[in-house]
Amino acid sequence: MNIPKYYKTEFESFFADIYDAFFSAATFFQIKRLRKKAIDMLALKKGQSVLDLACGTGGITIIIAEAVGETGKVLGIDLSQRMLQIAIKKSGDYPKISYLRQNFEHVNYENRFDAAVIGFGAHEVPPKPRHNLYKQAFKTLKPKGKLLLFDYASPKGTLSKHLYRLYLKTIEHPNGWEYVNEDHRKALKEDGFKMIKHQRFACLFDAAVYQR
């Protein structure tokens, strides 16, 4: 498997072990609640199938599994072997979850899933691979399938923008600042999606549902 140049090798280091604690602190210990609210926007039903792109340590994957129930199926894919190992341990009580190490730019599924989720993964990649990610998400969905894009939002206010830019470029990911300034609705429309829901959380995070 080819590892893209933009991939952060820190995800194979000790950072994977502290990722949950770091991200919880970065969201003022609200990440579980925010993830739940974002997944609720999909209005998932029992028995549905969902693809979690860039699933990381499985935090949002487990919430998806709870929403689709015992008759549903959830597949989480990620490039980080170390994060996937953590996700597998955390998901022991959810036999309907499967995990796979794979580049989300090259997903070999077509018309298979009722919904797909990209949670805090899109800001990690440069523009071209990001659009490849959107295209792959579109391809995997059934007709009328839904995509949830949940990530950092564009801040408002001069001071907020300066602080946010500093955080994204030095602590999070160099592509993060470019991502929050992207017109996501336009970008996803180019890839075949139509926005049907949008909500801003805690002034710093955006969740939007797009339909194929």
PDB file of all heavy atoms in Angstrom, residues 76-111:
ATOM      1  N   GLY A  76     -14.873   1.015   9.249  1.00  0.00           N
ATOM      2  CA  GLY A  76     -13.988   2.146   9.471  1.00  0.00           C
ATOM      3  C   GLY A  76     -12.664   1.910   8.768  1.00  0.00           C
ATOM      4  O   GLY A  76     -12.072   0.834   8.909  1.00  0.00           O
ATOM      5  N   ILE A  77     -12.215   2.885   7.995  1.00  0.00           N
ATOM      6  CA  ILE A  77     -10.922   2.748   7.327  1.00  0.00           C
ATOM      7  C   ILE A  77     -10.008   3.898   7.727  1.00  0.00           C
ATOM      8  O   ILE A  77     -10.451   5.017   7.958  1.00  0.00           O
ATOM      9  CB  ILE A  77     -11.057   2.670   5.791  1.00  0.00           C
ATOM     10  CG1 ILE A  77     -11.560   3.992   5.211  1.00  0.00           C
ATOM     11  CG2 ILE A  77     -11.948   1.524   5.377  1.00  0.00           C
ATOM     12  CD1 ILE A  77     -11.492   4.031   3.697  1.00  0.00           C
ATOM     13  N   ASP A  78      -8.717   3.598   7.803  1.00  0.00           N
ATOM     14  CA  ASP A  78      -7.729   4.599   8.187  1.00  0.00           C
ATOM     15  C   ASP A  78      -6.357   4.117   7.734  1.00  0.00           C
ATOM     16  O   ASP A  78      -6.145   2.908   7.528  1.00  0.00           O
ATOM     17  CB  ASP A  78      -7.748   4.821   9.698  1.00  0.00           C
ATOM     18  CG  ASP A  78      -7.179   6.174  10.094  1.00  0.00           C
ATOM     19  OD1 ASP A  78      -5.940   6.311  10.155  1.00  0.00           O
ATOM     20  OD2 ASP A  78      -7.974   7.100  10.309  1.00  0.00           O
ATOM     21  N   LEU A  79      -5.423   5.061   7.615  1.00  0.00           N
ATOM     22  CA  LEU A  79      -4.057   4.705   7.240  1.00  0.00           C
ATOM     23  C   LEU A  79      -3.208   4.304   8.446  1.00  0.00           C
ATOM     24  O   LEU A  79      -2.210   3.606   8.305  1.00  0.00           O
ATOM     25  CB  LEU A  79      -3.383   5.880   6.526  1.00  0.00           C
ATOM     26  CG  LEU A  79      -3.527   5.948   5.015  1.00  0.00           C
ATOM     27  CD1 LEU A  79      -2.942   7.251   4.492  1.00  0.00           C
ATOM     28  CD2 LEU A  79      -2.855   4.765   4.345  1.00  0.00           C
ATOM     29  N   SER A  80      -3.599   4.744   9.624  1.00  0.00           N
ATOM     30  CA  SER A  80      -2.788   4.502  10.812  1.00  0.00           C
ATOM     31  C   SER A  80      -3.069   3.131  11.425  1.00  0.00           C
ATOM     32  O   SER A  80      -4.138   2.898  11.990  1.00  0.00           O
ATOM     33  CB  SER A  80      -3.043   5.588  11.860  1.00  0.00           C
ATOM     34  OG  SER A  80      -2.405   5.254  13.075  1.00  0.00           O
ATOM     35  N   GLN A  81      -2.076   2.264  11.324  1.00  0.00           N
ATOM     36  CA  GLN A  81      -2.211   0.935  11.918  1.00  0.00           C
ATOM     37  C   GLN A  81      -2.345   1.023  13.426  1.00  0.00           C
ATOM     38  O   GLN A  81      -3.122   0.302  14.054  1.00  0.00           O
ATOM     39  CB  GLN A  81      -1.006   0.075  11.551  1.00  0.00           C
ATOM     40  CG  GLN A  81      -1.101  -1.372  12.001  1.00  0.00           C
ATOM     41  CD  GLN A  81      -2.197  -2.118  11.272  1.00  0.00           C
ATOM     42  OE1 GLN A  81      -2.306  -2.057  10.058  1.00  0.00           O
ATOM     43  NE2 GLN A  81      -3.034  -2.830  12.007  1.00  0.00           N
ATOM     44  N   ARG A  82      -1.609   1.949  14.009  1.00  0.00           N
ATOM     45  CA  ARG A  82      -1.621   2.086  15.475  1.00  0.00           C
ATOM     46  C   ARG A  82      -2.983   2.586  15.962  1.00  0.00           C
ATOM     47  O   ARG A  82      -3.505   2.111  16.968  1.00  0.00           O
ATOM     48  CB  ARG A  82      -0.513   3.043  15.908  1.00  0.00           C
ATOM     49  CG  ARG A  82      -0.205   3.008  17.398  1.00  0.00           C
ATOM     50  CD  ARG A  82       1.209   3.435  17.637  1.00  0.00           C
ATOM     51  NE  ARG A  82       1.551   3.520  19.047  1.00  0.00           N
ATOM     52  CZ  ARG A  82       2.780   3.714  19.495  1.00  0.00           C
ATOM     53  NH1 ARG A  82       3.783   3.831  18.649  1.00  0.00           N
ATOM     54  NH2 ARG A  82       3.027   3.776  20.788  1.00  0.00           N
ATOM     55  N   MET A  83      -3.568   3.542  15.242  1.00  0.00           N
ATOM     56  CA  MET A  83      -4.887   4.030  15.622  1.00  0.00           C
ATOM     57  C   MET A  83      -5.943   2.944  15.437  1.00  0.00           C
ATOM     58  O   MET A  83      -6.869   2.826  16.249  1.00  0.00           O
ATOM     59  CB  MET A  83      -5.249   5.266  14.808  1.00  0.00           C
ATOM     60  CG  MET A  83      -4.566   6.537  15.274  1.00  0.00           C
ATOM     61  SD  MET A  83      -5.280   8.000  14.511  1.00  0.00           S
ATOM     62  CE  MET A  83      -4.698   9.278  15.628  1.00  0.00           C
ATOM     63  N   LEU A  84      -5.808   2.176  14.381  1.00  0.00           N
ATOM     64  CA  LEU A  84      -6.770   1.091  14.149  1.00  0.00           C
ATOM     65  C   LEU A  84      -6.706   0.045  15.258  1.00  0.00           C
ATOM     66  O   LEU A  84      -7.735  -0.510  15.660  1.00  0.00           O
ATOM     67  CB  LEU A  84      -6.514   0.433  12.792  1.00  0.00           C
ATOM     68  CG  LEU A  84      -6.912   1.265  11.568  1.00  0.00           C
ATOM     69  CD1 LEU A  84      -6.440   0.583  10.286  1.00  0.00           C
ATOM     70  CD2 LEU A  84      -8.424   1.478  11.515  1.00  0.00           C
ATOM     71  N   GLN A  85      -5.524  -0.236  15.756  1.00  0.00           N
ATOM     72  CA  GLN A  85      -5.390  -1.178  16.866  1.00  0.00           C
ATOM     73  C   GLN A  85      -6.139  -0.679  18.092  1.00  0.00           C
ATOM     74  O   GLN A  85      -6.800  -1.458  18.797  1.00  0.00           O
ATOM     75  CB  GLN A  85      -3.909  -1.387  17.181  1.00  0.00           C
ATOM     76  CG  GLN A  85      -3.151  -2.158  16.102  1.00  0.00           C
ATOM     77  CD  GLN A  85      -1.647  -2.162  16.328  1.00  0.00           C
ATOM     78  OE1 GLN A  85      -1.127  -1.453  17.185  1.00  0.00           O
ATOM     79  NE2 GLN A  85      -0.938  -2.962  15.544  1.00  0.00           N
ATOM     80  N   ILE A  86      -6.057   0.627  18.345  1.00  0.00           N
ATOM     81  CA  ILE A  86      -6.789   1.219  19.468  1.00  0.00           C
ATOM     82  C   ILE A  86      -8.292   1.135  19.212  1.00  0.00           C
ATOM     83  O   ILE A  86      -9.076   0.800  20.107  1.00  0.00           O
ATOM     84  CB  ILE A  86      -6.355   2.691  19.666  1.00  0.00           C
ATOM     85  CG1 ILE A  86      -4.884   2.745  20.086  1.00  0.00           C
ATOM     86  CG2 ILE A  86      -7.238   3.372  20.712  1.00  0.00           C
ATOM     87  CD1 ILE A  86      -4.292   4.140  20.078  1.00  0.00           C
ATOM     88  N   ALA A  87      -8.701   1.431  17.979  1.00  0.00           N
ATOM     89  CA  ALA A  87     -10.120   1.381  17.616  1.00  0.00           C
ATOM     90  C   ALA A  87     -10.699  -0.015  17.817  1.00  0.00           C
ATOM     91  O   ALA A  87     -11.815  -0.178  18.322  1.00  0.00           O
ATOM     92  CB  ALA A  87     -10.302   1.825  16.169  1.00  0.00           C
ATOM     93  N   ILE A  88      -9.944  -1.023  17.430  1.00  0.00           N
ATOM     94  CA  ILE A  88     -10.404  -2.410  17.564  1.00  0.00           C
ATOM     95  C   ILE A  88     -10.622  -2.762  19.034  1.00  0.00           C
ATOM     96  O   ILE A  88     -11.616  -3.399  19.409  1.00  0.00           O
ATOM     97  CB  ILE A  88      -9.397  -3.376  16.898  1.00  0.00           C
ATOM     98  CG1 ILE A  88      -9.440  -3.204  15.374  1.00  0.00           C
ATOM     99  CG2 ILE A  88      -9.702  -4.824  17.279  1.00  0.00           C
ATOM    100  CD1 ILE A  88      -8.316  -3.907  14.647  1.00  0.00           C
ATOM    101  N   LYS A  89      -9.692  -2.342  19.889  1.00  0.00           N
ATOM    102  CA  LYS A  89      -9.830  -2.608  21.327  1.00  0.00           C
ATOM    103  C   LYS A  89     -11.070  -1.912  21.892  1.00  0.00           C
ATOM    104  O   LYS A  89     -11.798  -2.474  22.704  1.00  0.00           O
ATOM    105  CB  LYS A  89      -8.576  -2.144  22.064  1.00  0.00           C
ATOM    106  CG  LYS A  89      -7.335  -3.003  21.801  1.00  0.00           C
ATOM    107  CD  LYS A  89      -6.147  -2.472  22.579  1.00  0.00           C
ATOM    108  CE  LYS A  89      -4.903  -3.312  22.322  1.00  0.00           C
ATOM    109  NZ  LYS A  89      -3.716  -2.781  23.054  1.00  0.00           N
ATOM    110  N   LYS A  90     -11.289  -0.676  21.470  1.00  0.00           N
ATOM    111  CA  LYS A  90     -12.429   0.093  21.975  1.00  0.00           C
ATOM    112  C   LYS A  90     -13.761  -0.461  21.492  1.00  0.00           C
ATOM    113  O   LYS A  90     -14.808  -0.238  22.121  1.00  0.00           O
ATOM    114  CB  LYS A  90     -12.301   1.560  21.536  1.00  0.00           C
ATOM    115  CG  LYS A  90     -11.216   2.328  22.265  1.00  0.00           C
ATOM    116  CD  LYS A  90     -10.887   3.637  21.581  1.00  0.00           C
ATOM    117  CE  LYS A  90     -12.068   4.569  21.493  1.00  0.00           C
ATOM    118  NZ  LYS A  90     -11.691   5.884  20.897  1.00  0.00           N
ATOM    119  N   SER A  91     -13.746  -1.165  20.378  1.00  0.00           N
ATOM    120  CA  SER A  91     -14.993  -1.615  19.738  1.00  0.00           C
ATOM    121  C   SER A  91     -15.350  -3.063  20.043  1.00  0.00           C
ATOM    122  O   SER A  91     -16.154  -3.670  19.329  1.00  0.00           O
ATOM    123  CB  SER A  91     -14.879  -1.420  18.220  1.00  0.00           C
ATOM    124  OG  SER A  91     -14.552  -0.095  17.890  1.00  0.00           O
ATOM    125  N   GLY A  92     -14.769  -3.602  21.089  1.00  0.00           N
ATOM    126  CA  GLY A  92     -14.987  -5.008  21.416  1.00  0.00           C
ATOM    127  C   GLY A  92     -16.439  -5.388  21.615  1.00  0.00           C
ATOM    128  O   GLY A  92     -16.836  -6.534  21.368  1.00  0.00           O
ATOM    129  N   ASP A  93     -17.261  -4.457  22.078  1.00  0.00           N
ATOM    130  CA  ASP A  93     -18.675  -4.745  22.337  1.00  0.00           C
ATOM    131  C   ASP A  93     -19.562  -4.497  21.110  1.00  0.00           C
ATOM    132  O   ASP A  93     -20.783  -4.570  21.215  1.00  0.00           O
ATOM    133  CB  ASP A  93     -19.184  -3.871  23.489  1.00  0.00           C
ATOM    134  CG  ASP A  93     -18.505  -4.223  24.812  1.00  0.00           C
ATOM    135  OD1 ASP A  93     -18.107  -5.397  24.969  1.00  0.00           O
ATOM    136  OD2 ASP A  93     -18.365  -3.332  25.664  1.00  0.00           O
ATOM    137  N   TYR A  94     -18.924  -4.215  19.980  1.00  0.00           N
ATOM    138  CA  TYR A  94     -19.692  -3.891  18.767  1.00  0.00           C
ATOM    139  C   TYR A  94     -19.234  -4.796  17.614  1.00  0.00           C
ATOM    140  O   TYR A  94     -18.424  -4.398  16.771  1.00  0.00           O
ATOM    141  CB  TYR A  94     -19.504  -2.422  18.393  1.00  0.00           C
ATOM    142  CG  TYR A  94     -19.944  -1.470  19.479  1.00  0.00           C
ATOM    143  CD1 TYR A  94     -19.049  -1.029  20.450  1.00  0.00           C
ATOM    144  CD2 TYR A  94     -21.259  -1.023  19.542  1.00  0.00           C
ATOM    145  CE1 TYR A  94     -19.454  -0.162  21.451  1.00  0.00           C
ATOM    146  CE2 TYR A  94     -21.671  -0.161  20.547  1.00  0.00           C
ATOM    147  CZ  TYR A  94     -20.761   0.272  21.499  1.00  0.00           C
ATOM    148  OH  TYR A  94     -21.159   1.119  22.482  1.00  0.00           O
ATOM    149  N   PRO A  95     -19.749  -6.028  17.561  1.00  0.00           N
ATOM    150  CA  PRO A  95     -19.293  -6.996  16.557  1.00  0.00           C
ATOM    151  C   PRO A  95     -19.613  -6.606  15.119  1.00  0.00           C
ATOM    152  O   PRO A  95     -19.033  -7.169  14.183  1.00  0.00           O
ATOM    153  CB  PRO A  95     -20.037  -8.279  16.963  1.00  0.00           C
ATOM    154  CG  PRO A  95     -21.234  -7.805  17.718  1.00  0.00           C
ATOM    155  CD  PRO A  95     -20.784  -6.592  18.451  1.00  0.00           C
ATOM    156  N   LYS A  96     -20.508  -5.659  14.916  1.00  0.00           N
ATOM    157  CA  LYS A  96     -20.871  -5.261  13.558  1.00  0.00           C
ATOM    158  C   LYS A  96     -19.898  -4.241  12.965  1.00  0.00           C
ATOM    159  O   LYS A  96     -20.059  -3.832  11.821  1.00  0.00           O
ATOM    160  CB  LYS A  96     -22.293  -4.696  13.527  1.00  0.00           C
ATOM    161  CG  LYS A  96     -23.367  -5.732  13.843  1.00  0.00           C
ATOM    162  CD  LYS A  96     -23.385  -6.852  12.807  1.00  0.00           C
ATOM    163  CE  LYS A  96     -24.489  -7.849  13.097  1.00  0.00           C
ATOM    164  NZ  LYS A  96     -24.539  -8.925  12.080  1.00  0.00           N
ATOM    165  N   ILE A  97     -18.914  -3.824  13.751  1.00  0.00           N
ATOM    166  CA  ILE A  97     -17.903  -2.900  13.237  1.00  0.00           C
ATOM    167  C   ILE A  97     -16.724  -3.692  12.677  1.00  0.00           C
ATOM    168  O   ILE A  97     -16.213  -4.602  13.320  1.00  0.00           O
ATOM    169  CB  ILE A  97     -17.382  -1.954  14.337  1.00  0.00           C
ATOM    170  CG1 ILE A  97     -18.501  -1.081  14.898  1.00  0.00           C
ATOM    171  CG2 ILE A  97     -16.274  -1.057  13.776  1.00  0.00           C
ATOM    172  CD1 ILE A  97     -18.040  -0.141  16.012  1.00  0.00           C
ATOM    173  N   SER A  98     -16.294  -3.314  11.474  1.00  0.00           N
ATOM    174  CA  SER A  98     -15.086  -3.871  10.882  1.00  0.00           C
ATOM    175  C   SER A  98     -14.115  -2.729  10.628  1.00  0.00           C
ATOM    176  O   SER A  98     -14.534  -1.595  10.354  1.00  0.00           O
ATOM    177  CB  SER A  98     -15.399  -4.573   9.553  1.00  0.00           C
ATOM    178  OG  SER A  98     -16.306  -5.632   9.735  1.00  0.00           O
ATOM    179  N   TYR A  99     -12.832  -3.025  10.716  1.00  0.00           N
ATOM    180  CA  TYR A  99     -11.816  -2.008  10.463  1.00  0.00           C
ATOM    181  C   TYR A  99     -10.846  -2.493   9.393  1.00  0.00           C
ATOM    182  O   TYR A  99     -10.556  -3.695   9.303  1.00  0.00           O
ATOM    183  CB  TYR A  99     -11.041  -1.676  11.734  1.00  0.00           C
ATOM    184  CG  TYR A  99     -11.854  -0.909  12.764  1.00  0.00           C
ATOM    185  CD1 TYR A  99     -12.368  -1.556  13.888  1.00  0.00           C
ATOM    186  CD2 TYR A  99     -12.104   0.452  12.614  1.00  0.00           C
ATOM    187  CE1 TYR A  99     -13.102  -0.854  14.838  1.00  0.00           C
ATOM    188  CE2 TYR A  99     -12.845   1.163  13.551  1.00  0.00           C
ATOM    189  CZ  TYR A  99     -13.335   0.501  14.655  1.00  0.00           C
ATOM    190  OH  TYR A  99     -14.079   1.200  15.583  1.00  0.00           O
ATOM    191  N   LEU A 100     -10.358  -1.543   8.600  1.00  0.00           N
ATOM    192  CA  LEU A 100      -9.467  -1.894   7.505  1.00  0.00           C
ATOM    193  C   LEU A 100      -8.438  -0.789   7.316  1.00  0.00           C
ATOM    194  O   LEU A 100      -8.789   0.404   7.306  1.00  0.00           O
ATOM    195  CB  LEU A 100     -10.278  -2.073   6.212  1.00  0.00           C
ATOM    196  CG  LEU A 100      -9.529  -2.478   4.949  1.00  0.00           C
ATOM    197  CD1 LEU A 100      -8.943  -3.883   5.110  1.00  0.00           C
ATOM    198  CD2 LEU A 100     -10.462  -2.424   3.746  1.00  0.00           C
ATOM    199  N   ARG A 101      -7.180  -1.185   7.186  1.00  0.00           N
ATOM    200  CA  ARG A 101      -6.148  -0.193   6.883  1.00  0.00           C
ATOM    201  C   ARG A 101      -6.144   0.054   5.380  1.00  0.00           C
ATOM    202  O   ARG A 101      -5.866  -0.849   4.589  1.00  0.00           O
ATOM    203  CB  ARG A 101      -4.773  -0.663   7.339  1.00  0.00           C
ATOM    204  CG  ARG A 101      -3.738   0.451   7.246  1.00  0.00           C
ATOM    205  CD  ARG A 101      -2.349   0.003   7.605  1.00  0.00           C
ATOM    206  NE  ARG A 101      -1.448   1.154   7.665  1.00  0.00           N
ATOM    207  CZ  ARG A 101      -0.132   1.061   7.493  1.00  0.00           C
ATOM    208  NH1 ARG A 101       0.443  -0.113   7.265  1.00  0.00           N
ATOM    209  NH2 ARG A 101       0.610   2.153   7.556  1.00  0.00           N
ATOM    210  N   GLN A 102      -6.457   1.282   5.013  1.00  0.00           N
ATOM    211  CA  GLN A 102      -6.597   1.595   3.593  1.00  0.00           C
ATOM    212  C   GLN A 102      -6.498   3.107   3.374  1.00  0.00           C
ATOM    213  O   GLN A 102      -6.884   3.902   4.234  1.00  0.00           O
ATOM    214  CB  GLN A 102      -7.952   1.091   3.073  1.00  0.00           C
ATOM    215  CG  GLN A 102      -8.126   1.179   1.570  1.00  0.00           C
ATOM    216  CD  GLN A 102      -9.398   0.490   1.111  1.00  0.00           C
ATOM    217  OE1 GLN A 102     -10.279   0.172   1.902  1.00  0.00           O
ATOM    218  NE2 GLN A 102      -9.499   0.248  -0.176  1.00  0.00           N
ATOM    219  N   ASN A 103      -5.977   3.497   2.225  1.00  0.00           N
ATOM    220  CA  ASN A 103      -5.942   4.897   1.828  1.00  0.00           C
ATOM    221  C   ASN A 103      -7.338   5.301   1.364  1.00  0.00           C
ATOM    222  O   ASN A 103      -7.891   4.684   0.444  1.00  0.00           O
ATOM    223  CB  ASN A 103      -4.927   5.082   0.692  1.00  0.00           C
ATOM    224  CG  ASN A 103      -4.734   6.536   0.308  1.00  0.00           C
ATOM    225  OD1 ASN A 103      -5.563   7.398   0.629  1.00  0.00           O
ATOM    226  ND2 ASN A 103      -3.653   6.824  -0.392  1.00  0.00           N
ATOM    227  N   PHE A 104      -7.913   6.334   1.974  1.00  0.00           N
ATOM    228  CA  PHE A 104      -9.293   6.688   1.623  1.00  0.00           C
ATOM    229  C   PHE A 104      -9.418   7.324   0.240  1.00  0.00           C
ATOM    230  O   PHE A 104     -10.512   7.618  -0.209  1.00  0.00           O
ATOM    231  CB  PHE A 104      -9.954   7.564   2.682  1.00  0.00           C
ATOM    232  CG  PHE A 104      -9.216   8.828   3.073  1.00  0.00           C
ATOM    233  CD1 PHE A 104      -8.485   9.576   2.162  1.00  0.00           C
ATOM    234  CD2 PHE A 104      -9.273   9.281   4.382  1.00  0.00           C
ATOM    235  CE1 PHE A 104      -7.841  10.742   2.524  1.00  0.00           C
ATOM    236  CE2 PHE A 104      -8.628  10.464   4.765  1.00  0.00           C
ATOM    237  CZ  PHE A 104      -7.900  11.181   3.823  1.00  0.00           C
ATOM    238  N   GLU A 105      -8.287   7.530  -0.434  1.00  0.00           N
ATOM    239  CA  GLU A 105      -8.354   7.995  -1.816  1.00  0.00           C
ATOM    240  C   GLU A 105      -8.602   6.847  -2.790  1.00  0.00           C
ATOM    241  O   GLU A 105      -8.886   7.078  -3.968  1.00  0.00           O
ATOM    242  CB  GLU A 105      -7.064   8.702  -2.213  1.00  0.00           C
ATOM    243  CG  GLU A 105      -6.843  10.053  -1.568  1.00  0.00           C
ATOM    244  CD  GLU A 105      -5.626  10.736  -2.143  1.00  0.00           C
ATOM    245  OE1 GLU A 105      -5.691  11.146  -3.317  1.00  0.00           O
ATOM    246  OE2 GLU A 105      -4.598  10.833  -1.425  1.00  0.00           O
ATOM    247  N   HIS A 106      -8.483   5.636  -2.287  1.00  0.00           N
ATOM    248  CA  HIS A 106      -8.628   4.466  -3.161  1.00  0.00           C
ATOM    249  C   HIS A 106      -9.506   3.423  -2.467  1.00  0.00           C
ATOM    250  O   HIS A 106      -9.028   2.403  -1.978  1.00  0.00           O
ATOM    251  CB  HIS A 106      -7.259   3.871  -3.495  1.00  0.00           C
ATOM    252  CG  HIS A 106      -6.287   4.866  -4.046  1.00  0.00           C
ATOM    253  ND1 HIS A 106      -6.385   5.385  -5.317  1.00  0.00           N
ATOM    254  CD2 HIS A 106      -5.211   5.475  -3.477  1.00  0.00           C
ATOM    255  CE1 HIS A 106      -5.408   6.240  -5.528  1.00  0.00           C
ATOM    256  NE2 HIS A 106      -4.684   6.314  -4.428  1.00  0.00           N
ATOM    257  N   VAL A 107     -10.784   3.685  -2.448  1.00  0.00           N
ATOM    258  CA  VAL A 107     -11.741   2.799  -1.782  1.00  0.00           C
ATOM    259  C   VAL A 107     -12.468   1.963  -2.842  1.00  0.00           C
ATOM    260  O   VAL A 107     -13.041   2.511  -3.779  1.00  0.00           O
ATOM    261  CB  VAL A 107     -12.761   3.605  -0.958  1.00  0.00           C
ATOM    262  CG1 VAL A 107     -13.714   2.681  -0.236  1.00  0.00           C
ATOM    263  CG2 VAL A 107     -12.039   4.502   0.051  1.00  0.00           C
ATOM    264  N   ASN A 108     -12.419   0.668  -2.667  1.00  0.00           N
ATOM    265  CA  ASN A 108     -12.968  -0.223  -3.690  1.00  0.00           C
ATOM    266  C   ASN A 108     -14.393  -0.681  -3.380  1.00  0.00           C
ATOM    267  O   ASN A 108     -14.688  -1.872  -3.313  1.00  0.00           O
ATOM    268  CB  ASN A 108     -12.051  -1.447  -3.855  1.00  0.00           C
ATOM    269  CG  ASN A 108     -10.654  -1.050  -4.283  1.00  0.00           C
ATOM    270  OD1 ASN A 108     -10.483  -0.193  -5.147  1.00  0.00           O
ATOM    271  ND2 ASN A 108      -9.653  -1.657  -3.670  1.00  0.00           N
ATOM    272  N   TYR A 109     -15.271   0.284  -3.183  1.00  0.00           N
ATOM    273  CA  TYR A 109     -16.678  -0.038  -2.932  1.00  0.00           C
ATOM    274  C   TYR A 109     -17.535   0.871  -3.813  1.00  0.00           C
ATOM    275  O   TYR A 109     -17.256   2.061  -3.935  1.00  0.00           O
ATOM    276  CB  TYR A 109     -17.048   0.190  -1.466  1.00  0.00           C
ATOM    277  CG  TYR A 109     -16.152  -0.527  -0.483  1.00  0.00           C
ATOM    278  CD1 TYR A 109     -15.153   0.171   0.196  1.00  0.00           C
ATOM    279  CD2 TYR A 109     -16.293  -1.892  -0.254  1.00  0.00           C
ATOM    280  CE1 TYR A 109     -14.316  -0.484   1.090  1.00  0.00           C
ATOM    281  CE2 TYR A 109     -15.454  -2.549   0.638  1.00  0.00           C
ATOM    282  CZ  TYR A 109     -14.477  -1.844   1.302  1.00  0.00           C
ATOM    283  OH  TYR A 109     -13.649  -2.489   2.179  1.00  0.00           O
ATOM    284  N   GLU A 110     -18.582   0.307  -4.373  1.00  0.00           N
ATOM    285  CA  GLU A 110     -19.481   1.108  -5.201  1.00  0.00           C
ATOM    286  C   GLU A 110     -20.928   0.831  -4.819  1.00  0.00           C
ATOM    287  O   GLU A 110     -21.340  -0.335  -4.720  1.00  0.00           O
ATOM    288  CB  GLU A 110     -19.267   0.806  -6.689  1.00  0.00           C
ATOM    289  CG  GLU A 110     -17.930   1.306  -7.229  1.00  0.00           C
ATOM    290  CD  GLU A 110     -17.850   1.219  -8.738  1.00  0.00           C
ATOM    291  OE1 GLU A 110     -18.911   1.165  -9.387  1.00  0.00           O
ATOM    292  OE2 GLU A 110     -16.717   1.214  -9.263  1.00  0.00           O
ATOM    293  N   ASN A 111     -21.671   1.922  -4.600  1.00  0.00           N
ATOM    294  CA  ASN A 111     -23.110   1.829  -4.314  1.00  0.00           C
ATOM    295  C   ASN A 111     -23.421   0.861  -3.173  1.00  0.00           C
ATOM    296  O   ASN A 111     -24.416   0.128  -3.225  1.00  0.00           O
ATOM    297  CB  ASN A 111     -23.884   1.402  -5.562  1.00  0.00           C
ATOM    298  CG  ASN A 111     -23.611   2.309  -6.741  1.00  0.00           C
ATOM    299  OD1 ASN A 111     -23.551   3.525  -6.592  1.00  0.00           O
ATOM    300  ND2 ASN A 111     -23.437   1.729  -7.912  1.00  0.00           N
TER     301      ASN A 111
END
